[in-house]
Amino acid sequence: MTTTDTIAQAKWDVMSANHILAREGVLDGYGHVSMRHPDNPAHFLLSRSRSPELVSVEDIMEFTLDGDTVGNDDRPPYLERFIHGAIYKARPDVISVVHSHQEDVIPYSISSVALQPVWHQAACIGNHVPVWDIRDKFGDTNLLVTNNAQGTDLAAALGRDKVALMRGHGFAVAGNHLQDAVSTAIYLPKNARILTTAKLLGGSVKISTPGEVELAGPVHPEQPAFQRGWEYWLTRAGLKKL
Ligand code: MN
């Protein structure tokens, strides 16, 4: 593929990820998904400030890891683009980031009860899901991540983990490819619902072991089993593989 083809494919992938996450109820009018630029690891691709369900290929903008627009693109960007840039800066292994406000996850961001993996499909969330509280360092805010200092603090709390919860706000997923970030963002709220329901039953709850998470966790986009699920999500979002 030529560079132009690679960028066109990447923009299509980001557009399709927006539509899938909207269709699956992970993103509503808010939240976003980005991808590291395929030819320049110091840049990333993210839509202009638009509802994910409506994002088109033409809406995808290019940013530096500091969240500055590349070129003369003066369309309004998302206020919280610093989440993405700061994670890409801290984690060279990360290729795609999702930020969501999905509400089934929020109780675990405000409670002392940890969000832990309990379902085989959600092993991709990892053994440890840290909670970042913007208040710890920045005091009273509107809870949005609107500058690099806040993004950097969130990325530090994420550490080497796959998912960080954001207290009273949402979560950030860091994937080593776009499909990894999208599927993890889809399975994270489902795992939260399962865990909450199991706890409400009142008995003891079995958590997936680190060994199970290690075996079931990695997402392999090239494998037929994953492709089956990806085609399902694309179809539900009204898309056909490019
Ligand atoms: Mn947000």
Side-chain angles (χ1 to χ4, degrees), residues 68-135:
D68 295 324
T69 309
V70 174
N72 298 318
D73 199 335
D74 60 358
R75 295 176 291 175
Y78 291 122
L79 295 175
E80 291 197 289
R81 59 194 180 280
F82 305 99
I83 294 169
H84 302 258
I87 291 175
Y88 291 127
K89 205 184 281 187
R91 291 275 299 274
D93 59 308
V94 170
I95 298 297
S96 180
V97 171
V98 175
H99 168 56
S100 159
H101 303 156
Q102 207 285 342
E103 62 268 23
D104 294 305
V105 176
I106 304 301
Y108 294 93
S109 80
I110 58 174
S111 156
S112 60
V113 177
L115 180 49
Q116 293 176 290
V118 290
W119 181 38
H120 78 111
Q121 295 234 245
C124 51
I125 71 172
N127 284 299
H128 177 241
V129 179
V131 180
W132 175 69
D133 189 346
I134 194 171
R135 192 193 292 157

Side-chain angles (χ1 to χ4, degrees), residues 119-159:
W119 181 38
H120 78 111
Q121 295 234 245
C124 51
I125 71 172
N127 284 299
H128 177 241
V129 179
V131 180
W132 175 69
D133 189 346
I134 194 171
R135 192 193 292 157
D136 289 346
K137 192 163 178 182
F138 302 97
D140 285 346
T141 63
N142 63 2
L143 277 87
L144 303 182
V145 178
T146 54
N147 58 52
N148 277 309
Q150 292 168 345
T152 302
D153 198 46
L154 166 62
L158 172 68

